[in-house]
Amino acid sequence: MPSITRWFVRSALLWFLLALATGVLLAGGVSADIPGTAWALPYPTYLHLLTVGWLTNLIFGVAFWMFPRYTAEHPRGSDMLGWLAYVGLNGGLLLRLIGEPIQLSGEAKGVLLLLSAGLQLLGAWAFVLNTWPRVKVK
Amino acid sequence: MPFLSVLLVRSALCWLAVGAAMGALLLSTKAAPLPAWVFRLFALHAEALLIGWMVQLAMGVAWWILPKYPRLPERGPAAPIWAAWLLLNAGVLLAGIGRSIGAPETTVIAGRLAELLAAVAFAVAAWPRVKAFGR
């Protein structure tokens, strides 16, 4: 299993745990209060922890590993695009996890959320660009 | 990878690119004043990423890696998979765009029905390939 796949899959597992822990908190009320703060995790954040953090990370990691080879020299395509996908997806989600509760509490402007949106988009597009040429008829 | 898997996976990648762009726009509305129509993209964003991307990717990969038949065609008849691809993508377009532009509810129902039929077509083709090795 290549190094980048291990990063994707282990990150997926961590997001999975965090998502389900958030689910437990949400089940206890309308929103999940973050201890020591006046912030609360909104439901969309929980959904994205599951769908982006867990499912998409797992898909990206396994696809990077198992999809047909690009060439003999570069079997997994561009390493740079792969890492861009990883950093974009996970950095973006982390910023959302921090930024959305702060934004809703009215304590800050939405720079974190704009960055989060841009990073996640960059991550998804980097994955598409790297994977497209590997999806080919054999 | 067989041609039909390439078709399904590349279509899934297209939906990922489109769905992620809409998601980025939607998230940006929480931070910046964007036009009100952006909010209406939510239905298409969800449909594109859940059905167009994740479900379609799973179908494409399953068609590729499920056990093959010892005889030709080794992955079974192609017609149900063609039908599944056509119905699934038509369904995402109808249900996602229909809800986003406020089309009549029948459009959304037709889209969801197309997605259901895609699932039936795929299940018909995949079911006999779920078997023990050597059979």
Side-chain angles (χ1 to χ4, degrees):
Chain A
M1 188 183 276
S3 160
I4 192 167
T5 295
R6 295 199 300 274
W7 278 88
F8 270 119
V9 175
R10 285 187 173 157
S11 302
L13 290 168
L14 290 175
W15 287 121
F16 188 35
L17 294 176
L18 190 62
L20 294 194
T22 306
V24 172
L25 289 173
L26 282 169
V30 175
S31 61
D33 292 329
I34 301 171
T37 72
W39 308 336
L41 278 175
Y43 190 73
T45 306
Y46 163 64
L47 278 185
H48 285 85
L49 288 177
L50 268 181
T51 53
V52 178
W54 162 235
L55 291 174
T56 307
N57 260 309
L58 190 69
I59 290 170
F60 280 16
V62 173
F64 201 79
W65 173 30
M66 304 286 283
F67 269 20
R69 290 166 184 243
Y70 179 51
T71 62
E73 296 79 30
H74 302 285
R76 295 188 172 87
S78 159
D79 281 346
M80 192 196 74
L81 283 175
W83 285 109
L84 207 57
Y86 176 80
V87 172
L89 198 74
N90 290 282
L93 187 59
L94 189 64
L95 286 180
R96 180 176 192 153
L97 182 67
I98 299 166
E100 206 160 29
I102 296 175
Q103 170 77 2
L104 288 179
S105 72
E107 289 183 23
K109 296 194 192 295
V111 181
L112 288 180
L113 291 183
L114 285 176
L115 271 174
S116 165
L119 273 174
Q120 288 182 81
L121 182 60
L122 187 74
W125 283 5
F127 175 79
V128 171
L129 272 179
N130 193 51
T131 306
W132 188 273
R134 291 180 61 188
V135 179
K136 56 189 176 183
V137 176
K138 184 182 170 187
Chain B
M1 190 181 274
F3 172 76
L4 282 170
S5 287
V6 170
L7 186 69
L8 286 160
V9 174
R10 285 196 167 173
S11 302
L13 290 172
C14 289
W15 281 121
L16 171 63
V18 171
M22 289 184 292
L25 267 177
L26 284 162
L27 185 56
S28 302
T29 59
K30 298 187 178 184
L34 290 178
W37 61 261
V38 172
F39 290 102
R40 301 176 75 176
L41 292 175
F42 177 76
L44 185 56
H45 163 68
E47 204 81 20
L49 289 179
L50 288 178
I51 310 291
W53 156 237
M54 287 188 178
V55 170
Q56 189 158 217
L57 180 80
M59 286 164 62
V61 172
W63 183 248
W64 171 34
I65 64 170
L66 281 173
K68 291 183 276 189
Y69 297 117
R71 55 185 154 70
L72 290 174
E74 57 185 8
R75 288 186 172 86
I81 302 300
W82 275 107
W85 173 75
L86 201 66
L87 286 163
L88 192 90
N89 288 287
V92 172
L93 285 170
L94 282 172
I97 295 179
R99 183 143 282 164
S100 288
I101 64 171
E105 202 58 23
T106 46
T107 310
V108 179
I109 294 170
R112 290 282 161 80
L113 198 59
E115 290 168 3
L116 171 65
L117 290 174
V120 171
F122 182 78
V124 164
W127 190 277
R129 286 181 55 195
V130 182
K131 57 188 180 145
F133 286 117
R135 291 198 168 190

